[in-house]
Amino acid sequence: MALSNEKFLVFVLIGSLLVGCSGIERQTEKAMKAAEVAFRDDEKQPNIEAGLIQVYLPKDFNVVEEHENNLILQKGDKAYILFVNPNEKEDSSVLFLATKLQGDQYLVLHSFQNDEKFGFISIKEASKEKYELAVGIGAVKLTTETDKDDLRTDAKQMMQVVSSVPQK
């Protein structure tokens, strides 16, 4: 039994959609797990001081702008915004709750905690083939726009960065 051209085309389109959706689901799951592992690992020690903020930056990250409560970081052609709320502690969920209250459609909005700190990861579609990734611990949040294939690596490195910032 042969498929007509129209039925074949519909079959191929549906198959492509399913593969595309499962691809981003798989990548967001990997990113969530990588962020949680980095959250639970030993914290990196700050290796730079920019303005009032002490922070660990992985190789290839540079500070391009300093402000009182945030830094603009860059790695290659990708920009990152590091925000620090000096009035909150490591176990604060204020940034997570503010993210949740925005009501955006998140592919991932997940939190994790231990006795000392509260962390989270959020991923939402920013534009075609680009995703807004944010990770946070307590009063510190780091955000970037990234590709599907970079979600896992970015989530891990970003969580290492936020976990390094000393909090009250």
Side-chain angles (χ1 to χ4, degrees):
M1 176 173 132
L3 286 175
S4 70
N5 285 344
E6 289 121 12
K7 286 182 181 177
F8 179 75
L9 183 58
V10 168
F11 179 75
V12 168
L13 286 173
I14 290 172
S16 297
L17 284 173
L18 289 174
V19 168
C21 291
S22 67
I24 187 58
E25 289 169 3
R26 189 169 43 254
Q27 295 296 59
T28 56
E29 181 72 23
K30 287 179 179 179
M32 187 172 66
K33 287 180 180 172
E36 188 163 4
V37 167
F39 171 83
R40 298 195 187 289
D41 279 351
D42 289 338
E43 297 171 7
K44 300 280 188 184
Q45 295 303 308
N47 59 4
I48 71 153
E49 191 167 330
L52 301 174
I53 301 171
Q54 297 176 10
V55 63
Y56 161 80
L57 291 183
K59 192 174 85 166
D60 301 331
F61 275 72
N62 298 305
V63 176
V64 293
E65 278 184 51
E66 295 178 23
H67 302 278
E68 189 174 341
N69 294 324
N70 64 45
L71 301 175
I72 308 297
L73 309 173
Q74 190 165 359
K75 177 184 174 190
D77 61 352
K78 196 178 298 183
Y80 300 78
I81 301 170
L82 178 70
F83 171 76
V84 179
N85 179 343
N87 302 316
E88 296 293 326
K89 298 178 181 176
E90 260 188 330
D91 62 354
S92 172
S93 60
V94 168
L95 291 176
F96 174 75
L97 294 173
T99 300
K100 198 173 184 178
L101 287 174
Q102 289 175 357
D104 292 338
Q105 293 292 336
Y106 289 96
L107 299 170
V108 170
L109 182 56
H110 183 72
S111 65
F112 19 84
Q113 64 186 89
N114 63 25
D115 292 339
E116 295 116 32
K117 58 188 181 178
F118 179 92
F120 71 93
I121 179 173
S122 68
I123 302 171
K124 68 180 179 180
E125 197 164 358
S127 61
K128 186 176 172 127
E129 301 297 319
K130 291 286 186 182
Y131 299 89
E132 180 184 293
L133 170 64
V135 301
I137 293 179
V140 181
K141 178 180 171 183
L142 186 58
T143 307
T144 194
E145 191 172 281
T146 191
D147 299 320
K148 174 179 76 170
D149 295 332
D150 293 335
L151 281 169
R152 181 183 168 280
T153 302
D154 283 340
K156 177 183 177 182
Q157 286 188 322
M158 290 168 64
M159 188 58 79
Q160 290 173 337
V161 170
V162 299
S163 70
S164 74
V165 177
Q167 299 182 55
K168 296 180 187 176

